[in-house]
Amino acid sequence: MIKYTLLVLFILSCSDNLYIPKPKAKLKLSYPKSIYEKQYFEKHYNFEINKNTRIIPTSKGHNIFYPKMKATIYMSYQSINNNLDSLLNDAYKLPYKHIIKAEEIPEKIFINREKRVYGTVFNIVGDAASQIQFFLTDSTKNFIVGSLYFYSKPNYDSIYPAVKYIERDLYRLIESFEWKK
């Protein structure tokens, strides 16, 4: 009798008719609406940035901190002294240091002849340490290189919405960027 009971239980337990309901929920990440304001700096440049950030001056430039996302855009300024080729070479090499973890690294070129702002943004797709890298120059005197980093283990699927939010802010920064004369 016990054998038959165990056999019946075994057969019933192997059935595909078992249904385990899953909760109806999706992860919803919401970020505050971007409100931009012009930032005026003592030296070299000005630009517009999201009011939800904090600007932290450094000895080489400025960092733009996103407290709610635990992310920072690190910006480093350098003067051009007959070394534009080496600065550009370094700026193009930097994103490709992440090629081991990156699935692809598409580039977007920015040219504003009126304001003499030229640059490239590299979007690093994948679980790399930095998701966005960029440089800006006037091609004669000024050069800026920047990188976006999150204070968490890089999991691209999880941070993708935050990357896109910051990317929009970065594009606004570049489009409003002006070199001081």
Side-chain angles (χ1 to χ4, degrees):
M1 181 75 172
I2 294 177
K3 288 182 185 180
Y4 294 114
T5 306
L6 288 174
L7 182 63
V8 169
L9 286 174
F10 179 74
I11 291 172
L12 290 175
S13 69
C14 294
S15 169
D16 287 338
N17 294 333
L18 290 178
Y19 178 74
I20 300 172
K22 295 189 179 176
K24 291 184 179 183
K26 293 183 180 177
L27 177 65
K28 182 178 182 203
L29 300 172
S30 61
Y31 301 110
K33 183 180 180 197
S34 297
I35 299 170
Y36 298 99
E37 65 182 354
K38 190 79 165 187
Q39 291 291 316
Y40 297 94
F41 301 99
E42 290 181 28
K43 298 180 181 179
H44 312 299
Y45 51 82
N46 298 315
F47 54 78
E48 290 181 14
I49 193 63
N50 189 337
K51 280 182 157 185
N52 298 311
T53 62
R54 221 175 353 164
I55 306 255
I56 302 167
T58 66
S59 60
K60 293 188 176 189
H62 292 89
N63 296 338
I64 303 167
F65 179 59
Y66 287 80
K68 291 185 179 180
M69 293 180 210
K70 296 183 180 164
T72 300
I73 298 174
Y74 296 92
M75 294 175 52
S76 180
Y77 172 85
Q78 289 183 296
S79 295
I80 297 174
N81 297 315
N82 293 324
N83 62 343
L84 180 60
D85 287 344
S86 68
L87 291 172
L88 287 171
N89 191 28
D90 291 345
Y92 272 92
K93 280 183 184 177
L94 195 57
Y96 290 96
K97 288 184 178 182
H98 300 281
I99 198 74
I100 294 168
K101 294 283 188 174
E103 295 170 21
E104 63 178 318
I105 305 177
E107 302 173 14
K108 183 169 183 175
I109 297 171
F110 287 87
I111 298 172
N112 185 334
R113 287 185 178 88
E114 238 178 74
K115 295 180 182 178
R116 294 187 47 89
V117 177
Y118 311 97
T120 301
V121 175
F122 304 91
N123 290 306
I124 302 164
V125 178
D127 294 338
S130 175
Q131 282 66 43
I132 299 176
Q133 304 224 343
F134 67 96
F135 71 86
L136 299 171
T137 184
D138 63 0
S139 74
T140 56
K141 296 179 182 177
N142 304 295
F143 194 88
I144 287 180
V145 65
S147 304
L148 168 65
Y149 287 91
F150 286 87
Y151 302 106
S152 64
K153 184 178 178 189
N155 183 346
Y156 190 71
D157 291 342
S158 298
I159 62 173
Y160 180 79
V163 170
K164 287 302 180 187
Y165 180 87
I166 294 172
E167 180 183 68
R168 283 190 299 275
D169 286 354
L170 180 62
Y171 287 171
R172 179 69 175 256
L173 180 153
I174 293 170
E175 290 165 359
S176 66
F177 197 91
E178 297 174 330
W179 298 105
K180 287 193 176 176
K181 296 180 181 175

